[in-house]
Amino acid sequence: MNTSPIDDEEPIVPPRFTTPLRSTSSPRDHEPTDASLEELRRWQQQRAERKLRGEYESQVKKLVEVISENLDQPARIGAIRVEGAEKTRTSFVGSLVKPYIASPTDGTSPRPTTLSDVISTTNEVQSLLMATQIFKSVKPTLERSWSPLAEQDDIDIVFKCAEKGKYFIRTATDVGNQEGSASATARINNVFGGAEFLEGNVSFGTKTRQAFQLRLEAPVVSLDRSLRTRGEISAFSTERDFTSFASVSEGVKGLKLALRTPWRQGSHEVAYELTSRHIGNVAENASLSMREATGHSFKSAVTHTYLRDTRDDTMFGSRGTYTKIAHEVAGLGGDVSHFKSESVFQVSRRVADGLSLSFSTASGLLYPLSLYGSRPSSAQSMFSDRFQLGGDSLGGDLYWSAGVSMFSDVPKKPHWPIKLHAFINAGRLDALNRSKPIDLVASIKQTLTQPSISAGVGLIYRFDPVRVEVNIGVPLVASRSDLTRRGVQVGMGLEFL
């Protein structure tokens, strides 16, 4: 049967019919094609935020360009106004901002400045106001000067401030240095309107039975306009229980005047202390030496302390150093007269991933003096002033200690607050023989050449700010006066070798 060629062609299909109201658009702004009302509302909100963000960034870019193009334009600070400092003395705020204002009444013409100088000054004053620690926020704005005598290029810097709360109360429980305690702290900020604060603290504990301190601290603007130099006056009272190792208790009451100032990466503190001490509550098993140490003493002393800490971690440091050097001269009145010096140094280094090495040293000397009719230099040092090291209940006048510690992460658990620990420590504590002229060189030589040595391994748990250790320790070398103990030992505190 013959077929025609048209039968081999594909059939003709008519075009698909669509209604004129049907949407032929495709999503161009990531809008949902088949979504609920909630999804559409969220999409519209996100699109509006993106649009506002884009407009904001565009305006900021334009503003930066305008400022950059006009940084060299002439400008001069006409006035600096601080608004919102209702509880702060005007004289205090004025002492902070006055050095940044050029006064035309002093017989000299104001120094010429540019817009760049004005912006730089604005940042400096803002940082200075925040350094007072009495403001929650400080927002600067630049305005044309209001003064009728202002020139064309005069600009006023206005700081809109929000002050912090004036009162602060905190209660806490603390565990550290082999004791537990409960404390309460009350603080009044900006008490006299010059960035001062008055703080009172009271605590009760297992070793420090009770402690009280009232402290007033304020910046010394006349010495340091950066407000980093601060003065302090405080009164304190403590009662400590030493029956666990010395069979006595100690009560201390005193006053302290101090001046602290930063220096490079550290700080210096110069202080004067006036303290009254009492050793009493003697236990029945107290030794004759401890019974002889009981009674009252009155100390008047000047101290200097230098502190510098660059460690990346105060507990498990992997880099940096810690240095503390303290000196004390007592005998400016009272019945205690001596020179006391103590130094502590620590360096930390990272050995490998999760492994750090720490080397620490400490030393101290309590040397007798005879000043202004105080106790003769031949008299024994007071128990309250002696150094304590290890289990020596009487304490000593001369000591040194050194230790090497290695910290390691728990395998496969580097985020845990528990670390593996290995250590070796050495040191010695001696009393100077004051019944005859002191040969300090011979005493130091004896102390250095006859150390006590111990080693051990264990675990360290980080319970900020306290460090808890569980170690298995072994005394390798010990002197006759040492209280040695083998086996498992538990310790907690703030400072370790």
Short mmCIF file of all heavy atoms in Angstrom, two decimals, residues 46-83:
data_model
loop_
_atom_site.label_atom_id
_atom_site.label_comp_id
_atom_site.label_asym_id
_atom_site.label_seq_id
_atom_site.Cartn_x
_atom_site.Cartn_y
_atom_site.Cartn_z
N GLN A 46 13.60 40.43 56.13
CA GLN A 46 15.02 40.27 55.79
C GLN A 46 15.39 41.14 54.60
O GLN A 46 16.48 41.73 54.57
CB GLN A 46 15.32 38.80 55.51
CG GLN A 46 15.20 37.90 56.72
CD GLN A 46 15.37 36.43 56.38
OE1 GLN A 46 15.44 36.07 55.18
NE2 GLN A 46 15.43 35.59 57.40
N ARG A 47 14.50 41.25 53.61
CA ARG A 47 14.80 42.09 52.45
C ARG A 47 14.89 43.56 52.85
O ARG A 47 15.78 44.30 52.40
CB ARG A 47 13.75 41.89 51.37
CG ARG A 47 14.06 42.67 50.09
CD ARG A 47 13.09 42.36 48.99
NE ARG A 47 11.74 42.86 49.32
CZ ARG A 47 10.73 42.89 48.43
NH1 ARG A 47 10.93 42.46 47.21
NH2 ARG A 47 9.55 43.32 48.81
N ALA A 48 13.99 44.00 53.76
CA ALA A 48 14.04 45.38 54.23
C ALA A 48 15.32 45.65 55.03
O ALA A 48 15.94 46.71 54.89
CB ALA A 48 12.82 45.67 55.09
N GLU A 49 15.75 44.68 55.84
CA GLU A 49 16.98 44.85 56.61
C GLU A 49 18.19 44.93 55.68
O GLU A 49 19.10 45.73 55.91
CB GLU A 49 17.14 43.71 57.60
CG GLU A 49 16.12 43.74 58.74
CD GLU A 49 16.25 42.54 59.65
OE1 GLU A 49 17.04 41.61 59.31
OE2 GLU A 49 15.56 42.50 60.69
N ARG A 50 18.21 44.09 54.63
CA ARG A 50 19.32 44.15 53.68
C ARG A 50 19.36 45.49 52.97
O ARG A 50 20.43 46.06 52.74
CB ARG A 50 19.20 43.01 52.65
CG ARG A 50 19.51 41.63 53.21
CD ARG A 50 19.72 40.63 52.08
NE ARG A 50 18.57 40.53 51.19
CZ ARG A 50 17.57 39.67 51.36
NH1 ARG A 50 17.58 38.85 52.41
NH2 ARG A 50 16.56 39.61 50.51
N LYS A 51 18.18 46.02 52.66
CA LYS A 51 18.14 47.31 51.98
C LYS A 51 18.63 48.42 52.89
O LYS A 51 19.43 49.27 52.48
CB LYS A 51 16.71 47.59 51.53
CG LYS A 51 16.55 48.89 50.75
CD LYS A 51 15.12 49.08 50.30
CE LYS A 51 14.97 50.39 49.52
NZ LYS A 51 13.56 50.60 49.09
N LEU A 52 18.18 48.40 54.16
CA LEU A 52 18.63 49.42 55.12
C LEU A 52 20.13 49.30 55.37
O LEU A 52 20.84 50.31 55.48
CB LEU A 52 17.86 49.28 56.43
CG LEU A 52 16.38 49.68 56.39
CD1 LEU A 52 15.71 49.37 57.72
CD2 LEU A 52 16.24 51.16 56.05
N ARG A 53 20.64 48.06 55.49
CA ARG A 53 22.05 47.87 55.71
C ARG A 53 22.87 48.39 54.54
O ARG A 53 23.92 49.01 54.71
CB ARG A 53 22.36 46.39 55.95
CG ARG A 53 23.76 46.12 56.45
CD ARG A 53 24.04 44.61 56.60
NE ARG A 53 23.01 43.98 57.38
CZ ARG A 53 22.18 43.04 56.92
NH1 ARG A 53 22.25 42.66 55.65
NH2 ARG A 53 21.28 42.48 57.69
N GLY A 54 22.37 48.13 53.35
CA GLY A 54 23.08 48.63 52.18
C GLY A 54 23.09 50.15 52.13
O GLY A 54 24.12 50.76 51.82
N GLU A 55 21.94 50.77 52.47
CA GLU A 55 21.89 52.23 52.48
C GLU A 55 22.79 52.80 53.57
O GLU A 55 23.47 53.81 53.36
CB GLU A 55 20.44 52.70 52.70
CG GLU A 55 19.51 52.37 51.53
CD GLU A 55 18.08 52.78 51.82
OE1 GLU A 55 17.82 53.21 52.97
OE2 GLU A 55 17.23 52.68 50.92
N TYR A 56 22.82 52.12 54.75
CA TYR A 56 23.67 52.61 55.84
C TYR A 56 25.14 52.52 55.45
O TYR A 56 25.90 53.47 55.65
CB TYR A 56 23.40 51.77 57.09
CG TYR A 56 24.31 52.09 58.25
CD1 TYR A 56 24.14 53.22 59.03
CD2 TYR A 56 25.38 51.24 58.55
CE1 TYR A 56 24.98 53.51 60.08
CE2 TYR A 56 26.24 51.52 59.60
CZ TYR A 56 26.03 52.65 60.36
OH TYR A 56 26.87 52.94 61.40
N GLU A 57 25.53 51.38 54.90
CA GLU A 57 26.92 51.23 54.50
C GLU A 57 27.29 52.23 53.42
O GLU A 57 28.41 52.75 53.40
CB GLU A 57 27.16 49.80 54.02
CG GLU A 57 27.06 48.75 55.14
CD GLU A 57 27.19 47.34 54.62
OE1 GLU A 57 27.22 47.18 53.37
OE2 GLU A 57 27.25 46.40 55.43
N SER A 58 26.36 52.49 52.53
CA SER A 58 26.63 53.48 51.48
C SER A 58 26.82 54.87 52.08
O SER A 58 27.74 55.60 51.69
CB SER A 58 25.48 53.48 50.47
OG SER A 58 25.68 54.48 49.50
N GLN A 59 25.95 55.24 53.05
CA GLN A 59 26.06 56.55 53.66
C GLN A 59 27.35 56.66 54.48
O GLN A 59 28.01 57.71 54.48
CB GLN A 59 24.85 56.81 54.56
CG GLN A 59 23.54 56.94 53.81
CD GLN A 59 23.54 58.13 52.86
OE1 GLN A 59 24.16 59.17 53.15
NE2 GLN A 59 22.85 58.00 51.72
N VAL A 60 27.71 55.58 55.21
CA VAL A 60 28.96 55.59 55.97
C VAL A 60 30.15 55.76 55.04
O VAL A 60 31.09 56.51 55.34
CB VAL A 60 29.09 54.30 56.81
CG1 VAL A 60 30.50 54.17 57.40
CG2 VAL A 60 28.06 54.29 57.93
N LYS A 61 30.12 55.07 53.91
CA LYS A 61 31.21 55.19 52.95
C LYS A 61 31.33 56.61 52.43
O LYS A 61 32.44 57.16 52.32
CB LYS A 61 30.98 54.21 51.79
CG LYS A 61 32.12 54.17 50.80
CD LYS A 61 31.86 53.14 49.71
CE LYS A 61 33.01 53.11 48.71
NZ LYS A 61 32.77 52.11 47.63
N LYS A 62 30.18 57.22 52.12
CA LYS A 62 30.22 58.60 51.65
C LYS A 62 30.74 59.54 52.73
O LYS A 62 31.50 60.47 52.45
CB LYS A 62 28.82 59.03 51.21
CG LYS A 62 28.31 58.31 49.96
CD LYS A 62 26.92 58.79 49.60
CE LYS A 62 26.41 58.07 48.34
NZ LYS A 62 25.03 58.49 47.99
N LEU A 63 30.29 59.29 54.01
CA LEU A 63 30.75 60.13 55.11
C LEU A 63 32.25 60.01 55.32
O LEU A 63 32.94 61.02 55.54
CB LEU A 63 30.01 59.75 56.40
CG LEU A 63 30.38 60.54 57.66
CD1 LEU A 63 30.08 62.02 57.46
CD2 LEU A 63 29.62 59.99 58.87
N VAL A 64 32.76 58.79 55.25
CA VAL A 64 34.21 58.59 55.40
C VAL A 64 34.96 59.31 54.29
O VAL A 64 36.01 59.93 54.52
CB VAL A 64 34.54 57.09 55.40
CG1 VAL A 64 36.05 56.86 55.32
CG2 VAL A 64 33.97 56.42 56.65
N GLU A 65 34.42 59.27 53.08
CA GLU A 65 35.07 59.94 51.97
C GLU A 65 35.08 61.46 52.19
O GLU A 65 36.09 62.13 51.95
CB GLU A 65 34.35 59.61 50.66
CG GLU A 65 34.53 58.15 50.24
CD GLU A 65 33.73 57.82 48.98
OE1 GLU A 65 32.94 58.70 48.55
OE2 GLU A 65 33.88 56.71 48.45
N VAL A 66 33.95 62.00 52.68
CA VAL A 66 33.88 63.44 52.93
C VAL A 66 34.88 63.85 54.00
O VAL A 66 35.60 64.85 53.88
CB VAL A 66 32.45 63.84 53.32
CG1 VAL A 66 32.41 65.30 53.79
CG2 VAL A 66 31.50 63.65 52.14
N ILE A 67 34.93 63.06 55.11
CA ILE A 67 35.85 63.39 56.20
C ILE A 67 37.29 63.28 55.72
O ILE A 67 38.13 64.14 56.03
CB ILE A 67 35.59 62.46 57.40
CG1 ILE A 67 34.21 62.75 57.99
CG2 ILE A 67 36.67 62.65 58.46
CD1 ILE A 67 33.83 61.83 59.13
N SER A 68 37.60 62.23 54.98
CA SER A 68 38.97 62.04 54.49
C SER A 68 39.41 63.19 53.60
O SER A 68 40.58 63.61 53.64
CB SER A 68 39.07 60.70 53.74
OG SER A 68 38.74 59.62 54.58
N GLU A 69 38.47 63.69 52.80
CA GLU A 69 38.83 64.78 51.90
C GLU A 69 39.01 66.11 52.63
O GLU A 69 39.60 67.04 52.09
CB GLU A 69 37.75 64.93 50.83
CG GLU A 69 37.67 63.73 49.88
CD GLU A 69 36.49 63.84 48.93
OE1 GLU A 69 35.69 64.81 49.10
OE2 GLU A 69 36.35 62.98 48.05
N ASN A 70 38.49 66.20 53.89
CA ASN A 70 38.54 67.47 54.62
C ASN A 70 39.38 67.40 55.89
O ASN A 70 39.26 68.30 56.74
CB ASN A 70 37.12 67.92 54.97
CG ASN A 70 36.30 68.30 53.75
OD1 ASN A 70 36.34 69.44 53.31
ND2 ASN A 70 35.57 67.33 53.23
N LEU A 71 40.19 66.36 56.06
CA LEU A 71 40.98 66.22 57.27
C LEU A 71 41.97 67.36 57.45
O LEU A 71 42.31 67.73 58.59
CB LEU A 71 41.74 64.88 57.26
CG LEU A 71 40.90 63.63 57.52
CD1 LEU A 71 41.77 62.38 57.42
CD2 LEU A 71 40.24 63.69 58.89
N ASP A 72 42.42 67.93 56.37
CA ASP A 72 43.40 69.02 56.45
C ASP A 72 42.74 70.41 56.50
O ASP A 72 43.45 71.42 56.50
CB ASP A 72 44.36 68.95 55.26
CG ASP A 72 45.21 67.68 55.30
OD1 ASP A 72 45.48 67.20 56.42
OD2 ASP A 72 45.59 67.19 54.22
N GLN A 73 41.42 70.44 56.54
CA GLN A 73 40.73 71.72 56.61
C GLN A 73 40.96 72.36 57.99
O GLN A 73 41.03 71.66 59.01
CB GLN A 73 39.24 71.54 56.38
CG GLN A 73 38.88 71.11 54.97
CD GLN A 73 39.24 72.18 53.95
OE1 GLN A 73 39.06 73.38 54.20
NE2 GLN A 73 39.75 71.75 52.80
N PRO A 74 41.13 73.66 58.07
CA PRO A 74 41.36 74.30 59.38
C PRO A 74 40.16 74.15 60.29
O PRO A 74 39.01 74.27 59.87
CB PRO A 74 41.61 75.77 59.01
CG PRO A 74 40.98 75.94 57.68
CD PRO A 74 41.12 74.64 56.96
N ALA A 75 40.44 73.82 61.55
CA ALA A 75 39.40 73.67 62.57
C ALA A 75 40.03 73.91 63.93
O ALA A 75 41.24 73.70 64.11
CB ALA A 75 38.75 72.29 62.50
N ARG A 76 39.23 74.35 64.88
CA ARG A 76 39.74 74.66 66.20
C ARG A 76 38.67 74.33 67.23
O ARG A 76 37.48 74.53 67.00
CB ARG A 76 40.11 76.14 66.28
CG ARG A 76 40.78 76.54 67.57
CD ARG A 76 41.18 78.01 67.52
NE ARG A 76 40.01 78.86 67.29
CZ ARG A 76 40.11 80.18 67.15
NH1 ARG A 76 41.28 80.77 67.18
NH2 ARG A 76 39.02 80.91 66.96
N ILE A 77 39.11 73.80 68.37
CA ILE A 77 38.18 73.43 69.43
C ILE A 77 37.78 74.69 70.20
O ILE A 77 38.62 75.36 70.80
CB ILE A 77 38.81 72.41 70.39
CG1 ILE A 77 39.17 71.12 69.63
CG2 ILE A 77 37.86 72.10 71.54
CD1 ILE A 77 39.89 70.10 70.48
N GLY A 78 36.49 75.02 70.16
CA GLY A 78 36.01 76.16 70.89
C GLY A 78 35.66 75.83 72.33
O GLY A 78 35.92 76.59 73.25
N ALA A 79 35.04 74.66 72.53
CA ALA A 79 34.63 74.24 73.88
C ALA A 79 34.43 72.73 73.88
O ALA A 79 34.21 72.12 72.82
CB ALA A 79 33.36 74.95 74.31
N ILE A 80 34.53 72.15 75.07
CA ILE A 80 34.23 70.74 75.27
C ILE A 80 33.15 70.66 76.35
O ILE A 80 33.34 71.13 77.46
CB ILE A 80 35.47 69.95 75.70
CG1 ILE A 80 36.54 69.98 74.60
CG2 ILE A 80 35.10 68.50 76.01
CD1 ILE A 80 37.81 69.24 74.97
N ARG A 81 32.01 70.09 76.00
CA ARG A 81 30.90 69.98 76.93
C ARG A 81 30.63 68.51 77.24
O ARG A 81 30.61 67.67 76.34
CB ARG A 81 29.64 70.64 76.36
CG ARG A 81 29.82 72.10 76.00
CD ARG A 81 28.47 72.80 75.89
NE ARG A 81 27.58 72.15 74.92
CZ ARG A 81 27.57 72.41 73.62
NH1 ARG A 81 28.41 73.30 73.11
NH2 ARG A 81 26.72 71.79 72.83
N VAL A 82 30.42 68.23 78.50
CA VAL A 82 30.11 66.87 78.95
C VAL A 82 28.70 66.91 79.54
O VAL A 82 28.46 67.55 80.57
CB VAL A 82 31.12 66.38 80.00
CG1 VAL A 82 30.74 64.97 80.49
CG2 VAL A 82 32.52 66.38 79.41
N GLU A 83 27.78 66.23 78.88
CA GLU A 83 26.39 66.21 79.32
C GLU A 83 26.06 64.86 79.94
O GLU A 83 26.57 63.82 79.52
CB GLU A 83 25.46 66.48 78.13
CG GLU A 83 25.69 67.83 77.47
CD GLU A 83 24.81 68.04 76.26
OE1 GLU A 83 24.10 67.08 75.88
OE2 GLU A 83 24.84 69.14 75.68
#
